[in-house]
Amino acid sequence: MTEVTPEIVAAHGLSDEEYARVREILGRAPNITELGIFSVMWSEHCSYKSSKTWLKRLPTEAPWVIRGPGENAGVVDIGDGQVAVFKMESHNHPSFIEPYQGAATGVGGILRDVFTMGARPVASLNALRFGGPDHPRTRHLLAGVVGGIGDYGNCVGVPTVGGECTFHPGYNGNILVNAMTVGVAPKDRIFYSAAAGVGNAVVYVGSKTGRDGIHGATMASAEFDADSEAKRPTVQVGDPFTEKLLIEACLELMATDAIVAIQDMGAAGLTCSSVEMAAKGGVGIELDLDAVPLRESAMTPYEIMLSESQERMLMVLRRGGEAAAREVFEKWELDFAVIGAITDTGRMVLRANGAPVADVPIAALVEQAPVYERPWTAPPPPAELDAADVPAPESLGACLKRLLASPDLCCKRWVWEQYDHMVMADTVQRPGGDAAVVRVHGTNKGLALTTDCTPRYCAADPETGGAQAVAEAWRNLTAAGARPLAVTDCLNFGNPEKPRVMGQFVGCVEGLAAACRALDFPVVSGNVSFYNETEGRAIPPTPAIGAVGLIADLDRMATPALAAAGETLVLIGETRGHLGASLYAREIAGREAGAPPTVDLEAERRNGDFVRRLIEAGRLRVCHDVSDGGLLVAVAEMALAGGVGATLTPPVDGPPAHAWLFGEDQARYLIAAPVDAASAIVAEARAAGVPAEAVGRTGGDALTVSGDHPISLGELRAAHEGWLPTYMADG
Amino acid sequence: MIWHAESELPALDLIVLPGGFAYGDYLRAGAMAAHSPVMREVVARARAGTPVLAICNGFQIAAEAGLLPGALVPNAGLKFVCRDVHLRVESSASVFTGRYQRGQVIRLPIAHHEGNYHADGDRLKALLDNDQVAFRYAMPCGEVCDESNPNGSIGNIAGVFNETKTVLGMMPHPERLADARLGGSDGSAMFEALAAALA
């Protein structure tokens, strides 16, 4: 067996203090297998040692929340005896090294988190951040990631219905691949991971264990350097067909009473799953590594425990349930092996070739994991950018076309046409709108789903940016007519050991917490991805928010598509013309400067609740969130979606026209309704203290700002849809 | 639903080979599924006249199993494509297409990576001579052209019949737009026609 030297300890990412604590817990030096177990369990990825104290600030409860953070995924009540189960997770480091397999296995992992809990996955989303379009690797990474997500999700047969895909040089050295899955389960058949029942069998199911992915969790807990390519062997390889079999086999077994506890083998593989299951149940566990199904010969206990081979699950079965369970898994042609038992020792004991190879006290391993109060510095407040200092464009039309064709705002059809977004035949609103809407199978209700984050706001002001990410997700659900239920967060940052990065994290979490609290929008699951940093350069702070809302009656829903000519466009919410940190400032004026728009959570709530009530009452069917690019971009998106033009009339006493048209003030919605209905809505809004004004009319086949030249929808569509396919074809 | 390992089938009015990724399609779409035990009986029933509707992966399997002429190769664009397409109905003389008019344009989604239909010269000629083309990818106005071809299929062919028009293979998904809630219902007429013909 390999000797544990100081060099080997250092190579496992344990600090001197951490290693001393390992020795103290064991009362001796660890052997190599035990060192491996401690190193992955105490890695940032698995232990949340830098983020734990701050994550406690996030609200996690509401009357409709059935299970918050701490399980494989969060669970919320959606009525009629059903629950939605969902989570978003990062797969950033592997996807940068090997984009296709990295992204594919990210999808596989998040699917398992959801069906582990007894839910059938019904939709996936993703939030993708790539480097600048000019960076030589961007095309390759984008093509690989999209291909990997598509091939895995398509083969498994779960629709990929939405997400985000943006570009910035800040991600040149570390792309972000955040994957989210939502499932539906009966409320009385949710499965958890706490092991119980001394003597119960511990069962391994799924694929065999190989040498792939060893130390993936440790890789995700360190910065990249120039040699990051050499980490390719730590990237796992996906097998979506086996995943599909695993979904069906698990759900079939879950219809019986055989399972006591179940957890997928994700990061840190068999180690993390067995330790967490035993720790949550307050029991011990004994595993016979000779019984683990192996794909390769001569694997050591260390390799078996740290492998991150995909499509594997660990279960604790009720006594006597083994034969029936084996029958189910053998029918689906999956490996099924009893590899151990639950004990009352509180220890994890591993045996190989009949001899013990590791013996670790579980409570100490988990509870004495290091927790750090990392020093942090508050980022300097950004200087306000006065709209008067941002020049007006020479041509509104040319400016709008440039914005619609910019990498962040352009149509992402090239991406989502590679995803089967309709399989299962319940996709009611497809990708490209505010929220995707998926019908709950066999009912007339729907789940509205979105992912959101505006990294340029977070970079300028982390707290405002964090709040804005939550507010925008809430608004996107509201714009579809959904009642926002809860969020999952995927917090992507640089190296937390740097006070500046830690300050960004702290600020963003404070912003998230404030917004989640004000909007009754608790966090029910999520993950933290630190060390998104290469050669000392950290990514922009990117707290991605995935959100789920409920549409009780799909006959009362809104979409952004303009539906008819001759309707009034009404802008809900206050417009000051805020251009700081806007896309206009960046793309047109060439300035990445200024404070982000203020997030007034009371106004968000008031304006959003007003809009949602109109949709729920069946009085409003056309609604769009006003966000990136401001009002003119919002109108253009609505016009393109519906194939109906519009004319906008700037107010005479408002901010400068370009600030009114391109400012990114928050808490705003653009709606369209027949003239009389719109007048009534404006009057009611004002009576309720909600700013509302008629800003234009629908009709024609062009977009016109009063006093300016019309731009045909054809021209706008060509600009909007042309950029991405042209960019990818140029590679 | 019938398990892939079954070797006998009950009495059936219609067999549907649905979409999916049988065996993961890691080899060549449909190649392994075509050799699954149940397919021997499906082929026998089809030869005996039981109608078979083969959609997407089902079409790939049926082609691999020799139930339909031609082959489905990777899309010309080499990428998976999921989007609505327009189809021109080429024949209404079947139990599947009886409620469509020849020349009618319908909208259905496709979602595949290997949907590029190919048949060699003689086989293609026989297909045309025998009126075995069911659908072609078309513009909304009905024009069949390169622009309306999403995957490179020869002659824009989206669906074909066997010689007796009792087996239909098609890459587009009629079942995915058979519900106005999902944005269209042009697929409904196929199921209504089947229900009426088989009742």
Side-chain angles (χ1 to χ4, degrees):
Chain A
M1 190 179 274
T2 313
E3 195 190 338
V4 175
T5 62
E7 291 73 32
I8 288 199
V9 171
H12 279 75
L14 287 174
S15 68
D16 292 347
E17 297 77 36
E18 288 169 352
Y19 183 64
R21 193 180 297 185
V22 172
R23 292 191 59 126
E24 191 186 311
I25 288 171
L26 292 177
R28 59 179 166 80
N31 63 36
I32 186 72
T33 305
E34 292 164 337
L35 180 72
I37 290 168
F38 274 94
S39 95
V40 291
M41 289 307 298
W42 288 7
S43 69
E44 185 66 57
H45 190 79
C46 292
S47 73
Y48 294 85
K49 57 191 170 188
S50 302
S51 57
K52 215 173 201 170
T53 56
W54 292 100
L55 296 177
K56 288 181 186 148
R57 306 205 169 200
L58 297 170
T60 59
E61 291 175 353
W64 52 90
V65 172
I66 291 174
R67 190 57 79 105
E71 277 294 334
N72 286 295
V75 183
V76 296
D77 200 328
I78 57 168
D80 310 312
Q82 292 177 306
V83 296
V85 176
F86 62 98
K87 187 180 183 187
M88 178 154 59
E89 206 163 64
S90 59
H91 228 223
N92 305 335
H93 293 78
S95 299
F96 183 75
I97 293 172
E98 212 304 284
Y100 181 90
Q101 290 296 347
T105 54
V107 174
I110 197 65
L111 285 165
R112 282 193 298 284
D113 277 332
V114 166
F115 72 76
T116 299
M117 301 203 63
R120 177 171 287 282
V122 297
S124 289
L125 297 92
N126 51 74
L128 311 178
R129 314 278 168 198
F130 294 98
D134 298 337
H135 191 270
R137 289 198 70 190
T138 298
R139 276 188 193 85
H140 159 74
L141 290 169
L142 175 59
V145 165
V146 171
I149 291 173
D151 284 357
Y152 203 100
N154 298 347
C155 182
V156 165
V158 175
T160 303
V161 297
E164 291 183 286
C165 174
T166 63
F167 303 83
H168 191 274
Y171 303 99
N172 280 351
N174 297 80
I175 62 168
L176 301 183
V177 174
N178 296 172
M180 170 175 171
T181 291
V182 185
V184 173
K187 190 175 176 180
D188 58 359
R189 296 209 73 81
I190 306 168
F191 289 80
Y192 296 110
S193 57
V198 172
N200 277 343
V202 176
V203 173
Y204 170 118
V205 295
S207 289
K208 294 185 197 313
T209 296
R211 289 196 170 88
D212 49 333
I214 291 176
H215 271 307
T218 312
M219 171 181 75
S221 304
E223 286 180 38
F224 280 155
D225 53 27
D227 295 332
S228 55
E229 282 286 312
K231 296 188 177 179
R232 196 183 295 265
T234 57
V235 178
Q236 315 87 330
V237 178
D239 175 0
F241 185 63
T242 297
E243 179 101 337
K244 171 67 175 166
L245 299 178
L246 201 51
I247 294 177
E248 300 305 330
C250 287
L251 292 178
E252 186 174 328
L253 186 59
M254 283 163 166
T256 73
D257 290 325
I259 300 174
V260 174
I262 179 165
Q263 170 137 346
D264 84 296
M265 292 191 224
L270 186 52
T271 297
C272 192
S273 52
S274 58
V275 169
E276 284 190 1
M277 289 176 82
K280 282 181 186 157
V283 295
I285 191 167
E286 253 186 50
L287 300 179
D288 173 11
L289 300 187
D290 298 335
V292 173
L294 299 180
R295 196 167 63 211
E296 299 173 56
S297 60
M299 284 185 70
T300 65
Y302 175 94
E303 290 171 327
I304 293 169
M305 291 306 290
L306 269 57
S307 163
E308 290 190 9
S309 290
Q310 298 289 292
E311 292 93 22
R312 303 179 300 159
M313 312 279 268
L314 198 63
M315 308 187 298
V316 176
L317 293 183
R318 223 170 283 290
R319 213 169 297 197
E322 282 168 46
R326 183 184 293 276
E327 201 174 304
V328 169
F329 281 86
E330 287 181 351
K331 175 182 127 189
W332 291 99
E333 297 175 18
L334 294 166
D335 268 295
F336 177 101
V338 176
I339 62 165
I342 298 302
T343 68
D344 59 1
T345 62
R347 304 185 74 85
M348 178 161 84
V349 178
L350 308 179
R351 291 177 201 283
N353 299 318
V357 292
D359 184 351
V360 177
I362 289 166
L365 172 61
V366 172
E367 286 158 21
Q368 291 184 46
V371 175
Y372 294 122
E373 299 272 354
R374 302 275 191 205
W376 57 278
T377 50
E384 286 292 336
L385 186 64
D386 193 332
D389 295 337
V390 184
E394 286 180 17
S395 154
L396 280 178
C399 172
L400 175 62
K401 275 204 297 190
R402 264 176 70 189
L403 278 174
L404 287 176
S406 68
D408 283 5
L409 277 185
C410 74
C411 178
K412 299 301 183 317
R413 185 184 299 277
W414 183 91
V415 173
W416 47 256
E417 279 192 352
Q418 295 185 57
Y419 304 151
D420 190 337
H421 48 269
M422 291 181 252
V423 63
M424 296 171 103
D426 280 310
T427 306
V428 173
Q429 286 198 36
R430 300 182 192 178
D434 287 320
V437 176
V438 174
R439 176 172 57 191
V440 178
H441 198 76
T443 74
N444 196 37
K445 64 187 180 187
L447 297 174
L449 314 169
T450 183
T451 68
D452 290 287
C453 179
T454 313
R456 63 181 187 280
Y457 295 168
C458 298
D461 180 340
E463 190 165 344
T464 302
Q468 193 274 342
V470 173
E472 185 171 345
W474 189 84
R475 218 183 299 139
N476 277 328
L477 301 182
T478 297
R483 185 167 73 85
L485 293 175
V487 310
T488 176
D489 59 357
C490 197
L491 308 177
N492 309 277
F493 291 82
N495 182 347
E497 296 162 47
K498 296 180 179 169
R500 192 182 65 84
V501 170
M502 198 61 205
Q504 293 174 334
F505 178 77
V506 169
C508 283
V509 170
E510 297 275 27
L512 294 182
C516 288
R517 208 169 287 121
L519 300 172
D520 276 330
F521 204 26
V523 178
V524 296
S525 59
N527 96 319
V528 179
S529 173
F530 279 129
Y531 298 98
N532 293 288
E533 189 154 338
T534 295
E535 294 177 343
R537 279 190 300 278
I539 58 158
T542 313
I545 297 296
V548 174
L550 180 66
I551 298 176
D553 176 0
L554 284 171
D555 290 321
R556 294 177 175 194
M557 174 183 85
T559 78
L562 293 183
E567 297 197 331
T568 304
L569 287 166
V570 175
L571 180 60
I572 303 284
E574 191 181 1
T575 300
R576 293 183 190 161
H578 186 98
L579 287 174
S582 66
L583 276 183
Y584 178 87
R586 188 176 90 189
E587 299 291 331
I588 307 297
R591 296 180 65 179
E592 286 194 64
T598 308
V599 177
D600 176 343
L601 294 167
E602 276 177 38
E604 282 290 353
R605 180 91 201 219
R606 199 164 46 237
N607 300 356
D609 287 349
F610 177 80
V611 166
R612 189 181 321 102
R613 273 197 292 273
L614 291 174
I615 301 170
E616 284 173 346
R619 296 173 57 196
L620 181 61
R621 303 196 62 83
V622 179
C623 179
H624 189 24
D625 152 55
V626 181
S627 55
D628 283 333
L631 178 59
L632 190 55
V633 165
V635 182
E637 288 169 343
M638 295 170 80
L640 291 175
V644 175
T647 301
L648 273 186
T649 310
V652 279
D653 54 352
H658 68 293
W660 187 76
L661 289 166
F662 300 110
E664 296 183 1
D665 306 272
Q666 299 292 296
R668 295 189 300 162
Y669 302 81
L670 189 60
I671 65 176
V675 177
D676 292 346
S679 305
I681 288 170
V682 169
E684 275 174 53
R686 289 180 178 165
V690 171
E693 56 181 332
V695 292
R697 287 288 284 270
T698 64
D701 53 8
L703 198 58
T704 311
V705 176
S706 293
D708 210 88
H709 302 293
I711 323 150
S712 78
L713 293 189
E715 212 177 325
L716 287 177
R717 192 182 304 282
H720 189 47
E721 300 202 350
W723 185 82
L724 189 51
T726 305
Y727 168 73
M728 291 309 291
D730 282 350
Chain B
M1 287 233 275
I2 293 172
W3 193 246
H4 65 103
E6 293 288 336
S7 54
E8 286 174 27
L9 295 178
L12 294 169
D13 295 325
L14 170 72
I15 296 171
V16 179
L17 302 179
F21 279 77
Y23 298 89
D25 283 341
Y26 298 147
L27 178 58
R28 188 177 66 234
M32 286 183 67
H35 294 283
S36 62
V38 75
M39 280 304 293
R40 279 195 288 275
E41 187 61 16
V42 168
V43 171
R45 291 294 178 93
R47 299 248 149 94
T50 302
V52 177
L53 171 58
I55 301 166
C56 196
N57 194 219
F59 184 12
Q60 294 162 339
I61 295 167
E64 286 284 342
L67 280 179
L68 289 166
L72 293 146
V73 300
N75 296 344
L78 299 177
K79 287 197 293 288
F80 189 94
V81 180
C82 177
R83 74 160 89 113
D84 287 359
V85 294
H86 289 89
L87 304 172
R88 192 175 75 193
V89 177
E90 300 293 299
S91 171
S92 56
S94 76
V95 288
F96 310 97
T97 54
R99 295 215 171 177
Y100 297 118
Q101 303 295 316
R102 185 189 169 108
Q104 182 184 347
V105 177
I106 61 173
R107 179 171 57 90
L108 295 178
I110 54 168
H112 60 247
H113 194 281
E114 297 178 37
N116 181 353
Y117 183 76
H118 185 79
D120 59 26
D122 290 348
R123 205 179 298 252
L124 188 64
K125 185 169 181 306
L127 208 63
L128 299 173
D129 290 349
N130 198 29
D131 190 28
Q132 281 175 252
V133 176
F135 303 102
R136 291 181 200 263
Y137 301 108
M139 302 298 285
C141 64
E143 187 195 350
V144 170
C145 55
D146 286 349
E147 193 187 343
S148 67
N149 190 338
N151 54 24
S153 290
I154 192 161
N156 284 38
I157 292 173
V160 296
F161 298 111
N162 65 345
E163 284 181 15
T164 53
K165 290 198 179 64
T166 50
V167 179
L168 168 62
M170 60 190 296
M171 290 313 296
H173 286 271
E175 80 286 7
R176 289 193 187 181
L177 278 184
D179 178 352
R181 169 80 73 216
L182 303 180
S185 53
D186 285 355
S188 303
M190 183 173 292
F191 301 103
E192 287 160 9
L194 282 167
L198 302 173

